[in-house]
Amino acid sequence: MNHTITVATKSDVSSVIHLLKEVAGWLKENEINQWSFLLAGGEDNEIKQDIVEGNTYIVSTETEIIATFTLLPTQSEWDLHIWGDDNELDSLYLHRLAVKPSYMKNGLGANILHWIQENVKPRLTLLKLDCVADNHKLNSFYKNNGFTHIGTTLDGHSKYIKDI
């Protein structure tokens, strides 16, 4: 599959939000407890802000956006909740990695993680993320892509790290 990864622009805001809601709807339909708050617009302003600040990326074919992810070089409010006051200044936080359902199960997610590893090496050395602990497929996906599970929060979020 031919695709490109670029930094999202202001003109991509509605497309990124639409894609995230499409994935959240797919997760809900498949009874996967992840991102239900997105369906009600739970992070629309934060998503827009991350795009404006140049932290969100889109994965596109010639005709459509097929995936998105956000990389934060500093902790968000959510990261503080998950990781506490993280003193590792060389960390990058991965948020909202989403692949359009019709493109799932073809290695695109793994390709994105590889792209991140290859393209952020000069700046940072640790990639951190979290996901709902009872989302077994997603937890397996991160483990199978070289992430180390370092614990679970009291409110049920798995924490993962990977050297990049």
Side-chain angles (χ1 to χ4, degrees):
M1 170 191 7
N2 230 359
H3 62 270
T4 58
I5 298 176
T6 57
V7 175
T9 65
K10 289 179 190 176
S11 65
D12 297 316
V13 169
S14 63
S15 296
V16 169
I17 290 173
H18 177 78
L19 173 61
L20 289 167
K21 288 183 181 187
E22 179 182 357
V23 172
W26 180 90
L27 291 166
K28 183 177 180 178
E29 288 170 14
N30 287 276
E31 299 179 351
I32 299 170
N33 179 25
Q34 187 95 27
W35 290 1
S36 57
F37 57 90
L38 288 176
L39 293 173
E43 286 193 354
D44 287 3
N45 288 333
E46 184 177 325
I47 293 164
K48 181 179 181 181
Q49 189 61 37
D50 285 338
I51 290 171
V52 168
E53 292 175 2
N55 296 322
T56 298
Y57 295 78
I58 56 172
V59 182
S60 306
T61 65
E62 289 183 16
T63 58
E64 65 182 329
I65 296 174
I66 59 172
T68 185
F69 59 96
T70 297
L71 296 172
L72 299 179
T74 58
Q75 287 186 299
S76 67
E77 186 177 318
W78 178 254
D79 294 319
L80 284 168
H81 169 74
I82 295 295
W83 299 95
D85 192 6
D86 192 352
N87 294 325
E88 295 184 59
L89 300 177
D90 58 349
S91 295
L92 189 63
Y93 301 87
L94 176 61
H95 292 275
R96 296 186 294 271
L97 171 58
V99 175
K100 189 172 184 159
S102 58
Y103 287 87
M104 290 178 179
K105 299 184 181 180
N106 67 7
L108 184 56
N111 288 343
I112 291 168
L113 293 175
H114 179 76
W115 183 91
I116 293 168
Q117 187 169 350
E118 291 300 312
N119 287 279
V120 297
K121 278 184 176 177
R123 298 188 337 232
L124 302 163
T125 60
L126 213 57
L127 184 59
K128 296 181 177 180
L129 62 92
D130 69 276
C131 65
V132 175
D134 65 5
N135 185 337
H136 302 294
K137 286 185 179 183
L138 190 54
N139 280 267
S140 292
F141 169 76
Y142 287 122
K143 288 176 186 174
N144 291 338
N145 280 282
F147 284 82
T148 302
H149 180 260
I150 61 163
T152 304
T153 65
L154 293 176
D155 60 352
H157 290 87
S158 296
K159 302 189 312 184
Y160 288 94
I161 62 169
K162 182 177 183 180
D163 290 330
I164 50 176

